[in-house]
Amino acid sequence: MPSWKLVSGLFIGFVGSLVVLVGVSYAMVSIPNENDAAKSQNNVYYWADGKQMVATGTGINRQNIDISQIPDAMQWAVISAENKSFYQDSGVDPMGILRAVANMARGGQTQGGSTITQQYVKNTYLSQQQTLTRKFKEMFISIKVGTKLNKKQILQGYLNTSYFGRGAYGIQAAAQTYYGKNAVDLTPSQCAVLAALLKGPTYFDPAGNADLDPSATPEANKQRSSERWAWILEQMHNDHHLSDTQYQEAKAHYPMPDGRKATRGMTGQISYLVDTAKKYVLAHSDITEAQFDRGGYQIYTTFKKDKVNALSAAVKKVQAQRLDPKHRDLDKYVQFGAASVKPNDGAIVALYGGDGYENGHFTNNADTSGVPVGSTWKPFVLAAAMEYGTYNSEGAGISPLSKYNGNDHLKVRKPDGSYYLNKDNSTFYQNNESPHPWGYITLRKAMEQSINTPFVQLGVDVGMTHVRDVAKSAGILPQSMSVDLNPSFAIGTSTPSAIRMADAYATFAASGKQADPYSVTAVKTNGVDAPSFTKPKPSPKEAMDPNIANNVTDVLQNVIQNGTGQNAKSLGRTAAGKTGTTDKNKSAWFVGYTQQLSTSVAMFRENPKDHKLLSMNGTAGKDSIHGGDIPTLVWTEYMKAALKGANDLGFPSATEIGKVQDEAGAPSPTPSVTITPSQTPSNSPSPSPSVTTPSPSPSMSDTCQWSWGNPCNGNANGGTNTGGTTGGTDPSPSVTDTTGTGGNTRGNGNGTIFGGPTG
């Protein structure tokens, strides 16, 4: 056993060494200068070919000002909200530091300082490495700052270096960015709004930051900002920094900040490309937004300049041809979002995000949420049916030749034989766009003509959880899918982005291999790979059986050749795709692909005041806009340019899959419904197709064998291949073109419990 003298000596030696270590460390650290925080560099973005796209941040948006130029209300707003004991404390929160150090030692997330002094030190500390060494050094600097600088100097430094969002560092830049005035002229109410931003500009900027986080919508951010604004004013009043009169005046109305403004070089599609790449970097590294905006990064993207230009040109060309907002009110507020992804890779080669920051459009329509996809969802239902079968197929996948009732206004049967009901307990009926009596038709024909009733019943028979799982495997994010897995889920109530829809269809194009979409291949600082950007190029993984994907592709080829997507035939090469239009005509989509590219195009109208979707009935002078119309024209125009000079690779052959499992209750033998072509396709809408009297036994078109790739010359559905289609180049849908709504007749557009996008 060691003697007490030895133990005491060791203890005294340890304490002495610790004191010396602390003393030396304290002496060696220097007090930061707020001017050092202004040292910044550009962020430079590069195209996929390595050529420079744009350099952003040509000088940090910051101007230091003296404390005398910072309103008392601004000073007290941050003190009341962030650090009430600022003028009494030592500037360091020992328990907060210990928690941060312990958390880092365990490998957890780092934590910021809890006092204004510590935040000031963090703001001016240019090295952003999250290490224990840095944390200890930061602690010693904070202690030294607290003893060497007075509180006014610390507060001045804090307000000159804090990040307020939109690239604005410091209160002067924030005042100009958000209110177009100097800091000295800010009102107490405006000061409270700016103080709220210090909690996190991504979530408290009323303009929204949905490109950085889908939850940071303008509506959600405005709500968060106004609530914290009111709370800060209340705290200032409680702390006696606002008189009763000042408080009542300040809280009388929320002072809405100015909208975003375009910065130099951030025009056209460049702004959306930069936002997409920035969002990807922040999501796949530990770089904070404030650190990123200080600059010094080189970001190498997947975007191809020629394809980006081609996509923008396609949108502009079709807009000019079909829309006239100056003379037609219903053409106002129409927007497009589009994305093009490389199958079996995930690289985003092009996107269209909107009219550009310079025109006041700051939301990236290619990566937005909230626009229902309608019938472009149906391929996921078909894929789920081929993989899982239905509740009465004994687990065996079913064939696309299975027949379901395609008539309009049908009751939807639950697996137990009962029918779905509305909220008022009345019977729920699923509608099509047209009342045409299709009778029992194959799923292939139902996809071709985008008929709702077969897919709603099929979705129920397969199980909506299976449909959801297949969509997720294909690349759709769970948070963009409808929570309610009611019958309408099968026909497109979900709201994935254009990027995710292009990526999910790329899974079909790649014979079932899915790769997450990505926009950045490398991030460098001073020419060296940034260690915190660790996301490698996604590795394709098998999301579904190759033959299931190939069968979906085979069916979707028929949509273009004989169905609602015939406007895409002018591409002149092998392609597959699906149209989609939603309830009340609030959005229209076309998603299609070749082996080289998968591209989605969304069209919608949005109220600029509340960002709610508006009906497109009457837009472009049409009763309704269909996915097979304007979106398909944009898609085709782009794909012609994007694939110019590329080989037509076709698609892998699909082999016979599953078994023919007709809908429960289908007559046996199934009567045929033969559609006779009423006229040769022309530039005028086709009249309603005639219907022959069902024969008591299957006709040849019902019984011919589907030779995958040559589906009985298009007649394996019990009808001709031209019945009810729009015809080659006819931009106007015929009465049986079921890609759109024609008002409120798609899906359940009658206001019942399952109302939603369906087309």
Side-chain angles (χ1 to χ4, degrees):
M1 292 291 291
S3 66
W4 66 270
K5 290 183 180 181
L6 179 59
V7 173
S8 299
L10 289 173
F11 177 73
I12 292 171
F14 172 75
V15 172
S17 299
L18 188 61
V19 170
V20 171
L21 177 62
V22 170
V24 171
S25 299
Y26 181 83
M28 289 181 64
V29 298
S30 59
I31 296 176
N33 186 331
E34 64 196 79
N35 292 310
D36 291 341
K39 295 177 181 177
S40 66
Q41 304 176 56
N42 292 333
N43 282 331
V44 183
Y45 293 81
Y46 297 89
W47 295 103
D49 63 4
K51 294 181 180 179
Q52 183 172 317
M53 178 196 303
V54 67
T56 63
T58 54
I60 199 165
N61 182 16
R62 212 185 104 216
Q63 178 184 348
N64 289 343
I65 57 177
D66 187 76
I67 191 70
S68 63
Q69 297 297 302
I70 302 175
D72 288 344
M74 189 68 220
Q75 298 178 43
W76 289 118
V78 298
I79 290 172
S80 291
E82 306 287 338
N83 185 188
K84 287 179 180 291
S85 63
F86 172 69
Y87 279 107
Q88 292 78 42
D89 63 39
S90 63
V92 177
D93 177 9
M95 293 305 297
I97 291 175
L98 288 175
R99 283 194 302 270
V101 170
N103 199 38
M104 281 197 298
R106 293 193 300 266
Q109 289 186 335
T110 57
Q111 299 173 348
S114 58
T115 70
I116 285 176
T117 302
Q118 288 172 262
Q119 289 294 334
Y120 167 48
V121 170
K122 183 181 178 184
N123 290 346
T124 54
Y125 212 101
L126 294 181
S127 172
Q128 298 301 321
Q129 290 182 321
Q130 303 291 351
T131 64
L132 288 172
T133 301
R134 184 205 135 176
K135 201 67 185 178
F136 275 116
K137 194 171 183 180
E138 193 175 288
M139 176 183 68
F140 286 121
I141 295 175
S142 298
I143 294 171
K144 198 165 191 175
V145 165
T147 59
K148 298 297 184 180
L149 300 181
N150 64 47
K151 292 292 186 177
K152 284 291 185 181
Q153 290 172 314
I154 294 171
L155 187 59
Q156 172 184 300
Y158 173 66
L159 287 171
N160 274 333
T161 59
S162 292
Y163 184 62
F164 289 83
R166 300 192 196 178
Y169 288 84
I171 186 58
Q172 175 65 9
Q176 288 289 348
T177 298
Y178 287 90
Y179 289 110
K181 59 172 62 175
N182 291 323
V184 69
D185 298 321
L186 291 169
T187 67
S189 189
Q190 291 170 337
C191 289
V193 172
L194 296 181
L197 290 167
L198 296 175
K199 191 168 178 66
T202 297
Y203 303 100
F204 288 86
D205 180 352
N209 282 288
D211 287 341
L212 296 178
D213 189 322
S215 68
T217 62
E219 296 80 8
N221 278 19
K222 169 70 183 304
Q223 180 69 23
R224 281 188 283 260
S225 175
S226 60
E227 289 176 356
R228 187 158 179 84
W229 161 78
W231 178 82
I232 290 173
L233 290 176
E234 182 182 40
Q235 296 303 304
M236 293 171 69
H237 180 240
N238 293 343
D239 296 340
H240 307 292
H241 302 315
L242 287 178
S243 67
D244 291 345
T245 301
Q246 290 173 324
Y247 177 55
Q248 293 300 324
E249 180 181 343
K251 74 171 187 175
H253 73 279
Y254 175 84
M256 187 69 180
D258 298 338
R260 293 178 180 271
K261 301 177 180 66
T263 56
R264 190 169 69 180
M266 295 282 281
T267 57
Q269 296 309 300
I270 297 295
S271 50
Y272 307 116
L273 301 178
V274 166
D275 275 353
T276 301
K278 175 182 176 180
K279 179 179 178 181
Y280 189 84
V281 172
L282 296 182
H284 296 94
S285 71
D286 59 9
I287 302 171
T288 68
E289 185 181 7
Q291 293 164 16
F292 189 85
D293 286 347
R294 278 194 177 128
Y297 296 98
Q298 298 89 51
I299 301 97
Y300 293 83
T301 76
T302 60
F303 305 125
K304 296 188 176 182
K305 186 176 182 180
D306 60 335
K307 289 180 172 55
V308 170
N309 290 341
L311 185 53
S312 179
V315 172
K316 298 303 181 186
K317 178 179 179 179
V318 176
Q319 275 183 317
Q321 290 175 342
R322 304 297 296 273
L323 302 176
D324 187 9
K326 290 183 179 180
H327 301 97
R328 195 161 45 217
D329 286 344
L330 290 174
D331 287 3
K332 293 179 179 178
Y333 315 130
V334 173
Q335 297 186 37
F336 292 86
S340 193
V341 173
K342 187 177 178 181
N344 207 28
D345 183 278
I348 306 170
V349 298
L351 57 79
Y352 181 85
D355 290 336
Y357 279 27
E358 71 274 21
N359 294 314
H361 185 83
F362 297 97
T363 300
N364 184 354
N365 289 347
D367 200 22
T368 190
S369 58
V371 182
V373 295
S375 287
T376 58
W377 196 258
K378 290 173 182 174
F380 303 128
V381 183
L382 180 60
M386 287 190 281
E387 180 174 352
Y388 295 103
T390 64
Y391 67 88
N392 62 358
S393 71
E394 299 177 350
I398 72 171
S399 165
L401 292 180
S402 301
K403 292 185 175 65
Y404 270 68
N405 194 336
N407 288 338
D408 183 41
H409 200 62
L410 292 181
K411 294 185 288 186
V412 180
R413 188 193 308 270
K414 297 180 180 179
D416 64 6
S418 64
Y419 294 102
Y420 280 93
L421 302 177
N422 296 310
K423 289 182 179 180
D424 61 1
N425 288 324
S426 61
T427 301
F428 165 68
Y429 289 90
Q430 177 61 54
N431 297 321
N432 296 323
E433 179 185 16
S434 164
H436 177 71
W438 292 98
Y440 283 82
I441 56 173
T442 64
L443 296 173
R444 179 181 176 85
K445 183 67 175 180
M447 185 77 77
E448 173 195 296
Q449 294 300 319
S450 198
I451 305 169
N452 288 338
T453 48
F455 283 98
V456 170
Q457 187 62 63
L458 178 65
V460 171
D461 292 353
V462 171
M464 296 301 179
T465 57
H466 288 321
V467 175
R468 180 192 60 197
D469 292 344
V470 166
K472 180 181 176 182
S473 295
I476 302 297
L477 295 175
Q479 57 265 35
S480 68
M481 291 192 232
S482 300
V483 176
D484 294 329
L485 300 183
N486 58 45
S488 294
F489 180 76
I491 44 178
T493 55
S494 297
T495 59
S497 67
I499 291 174
R500 282 288 169 174
M501 283 301 289
D503 183 70
Y505 272 49
T507 302
F508 299 134
S511 296
K513 289 186 178 179
Q514 191 271 335
D516 289 336
Y518 68 103
S519 57
V520 176
T521 57
V523 178
K524 299 179 182 292
T525 54
N526 298 320
V528 179
D529 287 337
S532 58
F533 181 74
T534 58
K535 180 70 174 178
K537 175 182 174 180
S539 298
K541 56 185 180 293
E542 188 169 295
M544 65 182 68
D545 181 89
N547 197 37
I548 290 177
N550 293 340
N551 269 273
V552 171
T553 294
D554 193 88
V555 171
L556 296 187
Q557 284 180 258
N558 197 50
V559 172
I560 291 177
Q561 291 302 312
N562 302 314
T564 58
Q566 289 192 65
N567 274 322
K569 287 174 69 174
S570 62
L571 176 62
R573 63 173 65 228
T574 307
K578 184 69 187 77
T579 58
T581 310
T582 60
D583 192 40
K584 299 181 181 177
N585 207 208
K586 289 185 176 180
S587 62
W589 288 72
F590 185 76
V591 189
Y593 55 91
T594 64
Q595 280 206 65
Q596 296 101 321
L597 284 179
S598 176
T599 302
S600 65
V601 178
M603 176 183 177
F604 56 96
R605 289 182 72 217
E606 184 180 72
N607 188 322
K609 295 181 179 179
D610 58 14
H611 303 286
K612 292 184 178 179
L613 295 183
L614 302 170
S615 173
M616 290 190 291
N617 290 336
T619 296
K622 301 291 183 180
D623 290 339
S624 60
I625 297 296
H626 299 76
D629 186 15
I630 293 179
T632 304
L633 295 176
V634 171
W635 182 90
T636 307
E637 188 74 23
Y638 162 71
M639 293 289 276
K640 283 180 180 178
L643 295 172
K644 186 176 181 180
N647 292 329
D648 184 351
L649 301 180
F651 292 112
S653 298
T655 57
E656 186 172 354
I657 191 170
K659 66 176 183 177
V660 174
Q661 180 72 51
D662 295 344
E663 175 186 359
S668 181
T670 306
S672 67
V673 179
T674 303
I675 312 299
T676 58
S678 55
Q679 64 178 56
T680 302
S682 66
N683 291 327
S684 59
S686 303
S688 300
S690 61
V691 184
T692 63
T693 303
S695 60
S697 60
S699 65
M700 177 181 294
S701 62
D702 282 317
T703 58
C704 70
Q705 293 300 309
W706 182 18
S707 56
W708 270 248
N710 182 26
C712 302
N713 297 319
N715 297 330
N717 45 53
T720 65
N721 62 16
T722 58
T725 65
T726 62
T729 59
D730 180 11
S732 302
S734 68
V735 293
T736 55
D737 178 353
T738 53
T739 58
T741 67
N744 60 357
T745 57
R746 289 293 280 172
N748 183 40
N750 55 7
T752 58
I753 186 172
F754 304 122
T758 57

